[in-house]
Amino acid sequence: MVYGSLIGFALVFIFVTWTASVAVGALLTATARALRNKGAAAEKRAAGLAIVVPPLLGAIVAVSLAGYSAFPELLGGADHCDSHASHLHLCLTHGGDWSTRTWALSLSLALSAIVLVRLVQLASTIISGRRRVQLVEQSSLRIGGDTVPVFLSPSNRPFCFVAGFRSPRIFVASALWEQSSAEEREAMLGHEHCHVENGDLWRSVALSICALFGAPYLATQFKRLWGEATERLCDRLAADRTGDSAAVAAALVNVARGPRHVGVL
């Protein structure tokens, strides 16, 4: 295999992925009202697919082309390189000219830089978030929770969130806990339990990785839509579980000034 040929396949992957992201974004915009009418679960699924499908499609196209160039006879074709010797073509063994074309090399380096910057940002977010959660946990007191431990954290800033996709824990600010009624506490914990039961924590990590390859801006918007739909879905499930939508609404008001997010640590 000529490693310079990978530049061509990388460009194909990005082209297909970004084109698909644009198409999916247009589709989401056109169906936004219909999805909203169907509910948060439908919006969540649509946003998740918008993140996953483009890079998956790009990978399928790139790998298929690479497989055809490597095993043409096996796939029912013939060696096509002789007829393409005078110009760039996608081939793992005879496509080294990609690395000699300044535009192709520059474009691939620029696209790689975009993905690398996104990867560094994601890693930084996870690492810094992990440290913050560790600091919060060190000063917190476990107050219950059989399957998912619940910790009371000394803080006047209202927050209630779940962190840890390997070992989920729920953290609640002491000031928020003290000012909440029993029904509101149940609603808050029910919301966070829904995140855990739905696998939102590990899904958030997986979607963030897929979003590394999505089209600029669109991938971020898809992830934001997924997060908002996820929160609304957990609100509804918590209300259904507790049978008290008023308590859920009151709990939302109490935490409105604090962060509402799914931890990924």
Side-chain angles (χ1 to χ4, degrees), residues 8 10 17 31 55 66 79 90 103 119 122 132 145 153 172 185 187 237 239 248-249 253-254 265:
T17 299
T31 59
D79 190 347
L90 296 169
W103 69 268
L119 179 60
L122 176 60
R132 288 196 299 269
S153 305
V172 185
R185 292 175 180 177
L237 293 176
V248 174
V253 172
N254 289 338
L265 310 173

Side-chain angles (χ1 to χ4, degrees), residues 9-92:
F9 291 103
L11 293 177
V12 168
F13 168 75
I14 291 296
F15 175 79
V16 173
T17 299
W18 287 14
T19 300
S21 291
V22 173
V24 170
L27 181 61
L28 280 182
T29 300
T31 59
R33 179 174 297 181
L35 288 172
R36 177 59 65 95
N37 291 335
K38 288 185 177 181
E43 290 182 281
K44 180 181 178 180
R45 285 193 298 270
L49 289 173
I51 298 172
V52 173
V53 168
L56 179 61
L57 182 60
I60 291 174
V61 172
V63 170
S64 298
L65 292 173
Y68 179 77
S69 72
F71 310 103
E73 296 84 1
L74 183 63
L75 298 177
D79 190 347
H80 60 285
C81 291
D82 291 339
S83 60
H84 294 281
S86 60
H87 59 82
L88 287 173
H89 63 288
L90 296 169
C91 178
L92 288 175

Side-chain angles (χ1 to χ4, degrees), residues 116-136:
L116 181 60
V117 168
R118 290 178 176 178
L119 179 60
V120 171
Q121 291 175 338
L122 176 60
S124 177
T125 299
I126 292 177
I127 293 173
S128 62
R130 181 183 179 86
R131 290 174 179 171
R132 288 196 299 269
V133 170
Q134 288 175 341
L135 291 174
V136 171

Side-chain angles (χ1 to χ4, degrees), residues 29-261:
T29 300
T31 59
R33 179 174 297 181
L35 288 172
R36 177 59 65 95
N37 291 335
K38 288 185 177 181
E43 290 182 281
K44 180 181 178 180
R45 285 193 298 270
L49 289 173
I51 298 172
V52 173
V53 168
L56 179 61
L57 182 60
I60 291 174
V61 172
V63 170
S64 298
L65 292 173
Y68 179 77
S69 72
F71 310 103
E73 296 84 1
L74 183 63
L75 298 177
D79 190 347
H80 60 285
C81 291
D82 291 339
S83 60
H84 294 281
S86 60
H87 59 82
L88 287 173
H89 63 288
L90 296 169
C91 178
L92 288 175
T93 55
H94 303 99
D97 284 348
W98 285 96
S99 61
T100 66
R101 305 300 175 98
T102 302
W103 69 268
L105 186 59
S106 299
L107 183 57
S108 62
L109 289 175
L111 296 175
S112 298
I114 292 175
V115 174
L116 181 60
V117 168
R118 290 178 176 178
L119 179 60
V120 171
Q121 291 175 338
L122 176 60
S124 177
T125 299
I126 292 177
I127 293 173
S128 62
R130 181 183 179 86
R131 290 174 179 171
R132 288 196 299 269
V133 170
Q134 288 175 341
L135 291 174
V136 171
E137 188 168 3
Q138 289 173 4
S139 61
S140 300
L141 175 67
R142 181 169 179 174
I143 59 174
D146 296 328
T147 57
V148 181
V150 179
F151 290 87
L152 191 64
S153 305
S155 175
N156 291 322
R157 183 187 182 192
F159 63 77
C160 181
F161 65 89
V162 61
F165 67 89
R166 288 178 298 181
S167 55
R169 292 98 68 204
I170 297 174
F171 297 91
V172 185
S174 57
L176 175 62
W177 189 259
E178 292 169 0
Q179 74 181 33
S180 300
S181 65
E183 292 78 11
E184 292 167 352
R185 292 175 180 177
E186 183 182 2
M188 287 189 295
L189 296 182
H191 175 100
E192 304 305 334
H193 275 286
C194 288
H195 280 308
V196 177
E197 294 168 2
N198 293 340
D200 292 332
L201 296 96
W202 67 263
R203 290 178 191 275
S204 179
V205 176
L207 292 176
S208 295
I209 294 174
C210 290
L212 294 174
F213 306 99
Y217 177 75
L218 289 177
T220 302
Q221 292 302 305
F222 296 156
K223 188 62 165 52
R224 179 185 61 81
L225 291 173
W226 182 86
E228 292 176 352
T230 297
E231 293 298 333
R232 292 198 305 274
L233 177 60
C234 287
D235 289 341
R236 183 180 64 78
L237 293 176
D240 292 342
R241 177 174 297 180
T242 61
D244 191 347
S245 58
V248 174
L252 293 180
V253 172
N254 289 338
V255 300
R257 292 174 296 170
R260 297 185 72 217
H261 66 274

